[in-house]
Amino acid sequence: MTEKIPAHYGGEPIREDVLGYGSQSIGENEKEAVVEALDGDYITRGPTVEAFEERVADFVGVDHAVATTSGTTALHLAGRAAGFGDGDEVITTPLTFASTAHAATYCGATPVFADIDPHLRSLDPEAVREQVTEDTKGIVPMHYAGQPADIEGLLEVADEHDLTVIWDACHAFGGRWNGEPIGAQRDMVMFSFHPVKNITTGEGGMIVTDDDELAERLRRLRSFDMDYTPEGHEEEPWYQVTEGLGYNYNVTDIQAALGLAQLDRLDDFKRRRDEIISQYDEAFANVVGIRTPPEPTESEPMYHLYAVEIGEGFGCDRTEFVNAMHAENLGVQVHYVPLHYHPYFREEFGYEQGDFPKAEAVYDGLVSLPLHAEMDDADVDDVTTAVEALQTYHTE
Ligand SMILES: Cc1ncc(COP(=O)(O)O)c(C=O)c1O
């Protein structure tokens, strides 16, 4: 006899309100900071953006941070700054959000997928090595769920072939690898500050780098590729010229004020996320058929997602698991439908299902359970109870 009948099979949902898989946490300090910013001289990119950039650069231990309007535009700027263009190939993971590959596609380069290391769920350096051709210009690895990818192995491949590396660290802000913060790795590392990420500015992104020239290019491209003080026009203060195809990816002081206030809470966010992860790990240790996230070895991740794999022995497959959780009002999600399944990448670049068997096998079981700093112990309990009840229903 099971104590709780899963809602999917006729029982009562475990909760009335929906618990999302991710959520922002906005406190009074953030609200005050935003109101204060609105009273400032600038509400577009001004001194608060600069302060936010400096604080992030200090935090990750690099010389430059360039704020932009989203993780997606950060990838676009980074691809442009890296010089990706027509005829170039850029190697990336299929198990990611589409924007990761757009560091290449927005610039006219070809995204070349390589299979993943199923343990870390991110690019396998050996698979990357196999995809390198004379047209390969860069690599865009992604730190899946906040777990650092094989940074050492991937940098080795980049060194062998003189490739630019853009780390998609959208999930990984606040984490560390091998004693150094995520963000300190070459050539560029980018973050997203979307509301479900580790800190938020509403929408927003940031690129960090130690390379002076890349930083200069990123700043120029972010603002129309404009030279505001061109040589030979010193007597004409109005004379500003566009030197190339730039963008308006400027963030506002309002967003930066929110970002600074969120940074003050980063340690608390990490502590709470870690507590929830320990509670999940403990609850699922004896549940057959659930693979929990990898134990970190040389890293201290700040996990953005708690992504499990539903496998043999659980009692139902991933599709049924997701629908059963939704019936309980638990907003689980799947990260991600592999990019080579998407019409855009299939039609434009000729990929098809079957091309990356390891990414596909991981995808088949993947589910992200709710994880965010606003969750209390009762929320965590709802998730673990619902998962246990589902298994019991199927196996007893
Ligand atoms: C891995 C990854 N890359 C890129 C992005 C794009 O970031 P944004 O939503 O800030 O444009 C996201 C966010 O959804 C992401 O998860």
Side-chain angles (χ1 to χ4, degrees), residues 303-346:
Y303 282 112
H304 157 55
L305 302 172
Y306 188 89
V308 299
E309 281 163 62
I310 304 303
E312 199 121 325
F314 182 78
C316 71
D317 66 11
R318 188 269 307 275
T319 304
E320 196 150 357
F321 182 97
V322 168
N323 287 311
M325 291 300 122
H326 285 180
E328 305 290 357
N329 288 325
L330 298 170
V332 301
Q333 180 55 297
V334 174
H335 297 90
Y336 295 91
V337 175
L339 296 188
H340 62 291
Y341 289 23
H342 295 228
Y344 173 67
F345 295 100
R346 291 210 322 259

Side-chain angles (χ1 to χ4, degrees), residues 177-334:
W177 168 81
N178 212 11
E180 59 188 36
I182 290 294
Q185 296 72 37
R186 71 162 183 85
D187 297 284
M188 287 174 269
V189 183
M190 52 70 56
F191 303 110
S192 162
F193 303 134
H194 178 276
V196 295
K197 299 299 194 290
N198 292 350
I199 62 164
T200 188
T201 56
E203 294 281 356
M206 184 92 75
I207 306 138
V208 292
T209 181
D210 261 331
D211 186 308
D212 299 346
E213 273 178 40
L214 285 174
E216 173 60 21
R217 249 180 284 161
L218 290 165
R219 289 200 178 98
R220 284 277 282 266
L221 286 165
R222 168 181 67 181
S223 258
F224 317 103
D225 203 355
M226 187 82 84
D227 187 348
Y228 290 94
T229 52
E231 248 181 63
H233 295 277
E234 289 74 11
E235 297 305 312
E236 300 155 294
W238 68 88
Y239 210 94
Q240 307 172 345
V241 289
T242 293
E243 298 222 313
L245 181 61
Y247 315 97
N248 180 351
Y249 289 165
N250 289 305
V251 264
T252 66
D253 269 17
I254 309 164
Q255 290 164 293
L258 176 55
L260 281 165
Q262 287 266 291
L263 278 174
D264 290 339
R265 299 178 62 207
L266 184 67
D267 288 347
D268 289 340
F269 290 161
K270 181 166 188 326
R271 198 170 310 119
R272 184 61 193 142
R273 281 174 180 267
D274 285 348
E275 280 168 5
I276 297 167
I277 286 163
S278 303
Q279 289 166 22
Y280 279 157
D281 281 347
E282 199 179 318
F284 301 139
N286 298 318
V287 178
V288 179
I290 287 199
R291 200 193 132 204
T292 53
E295 281 289 316
T297 47
E298 69 244 309
S299 61
E300 197 190 313
M302 175 148 176
Y303 282 112
H304 157 55
L305 302 172
Y306 188 89
V308 299
E309 281 163 62
I310 304 303
E312 199 121 325
F314 182 78
C316 71
D317 66 11
R318 188 269 307 275
T319 304
E320 196 150 357
F321 182 97
V322 168
N323 287 311
M325 291 300 122
H326 285 180
E328 305 290 357
N329 288 325
L330 298 170
V332 301
Q333 180 55 297
V334 174

Side-chain angles (χ1 to χ4, degrees), residues 39 50 115 138 150 153 165 186 191 220 226 243 284 294-295 338 352 372-373 388:
D39 281 334
E50 230 169 272
D115 215 342
D150 181 353
V165 188
R186 71 162 183 85
F191 303 110
R220 284 277 282 266
M226 187 82 84
E243 298 222 313
F284 301 139
E295 281 289 316
E352 52 190 45
H372 56 83
E388 282 157 10

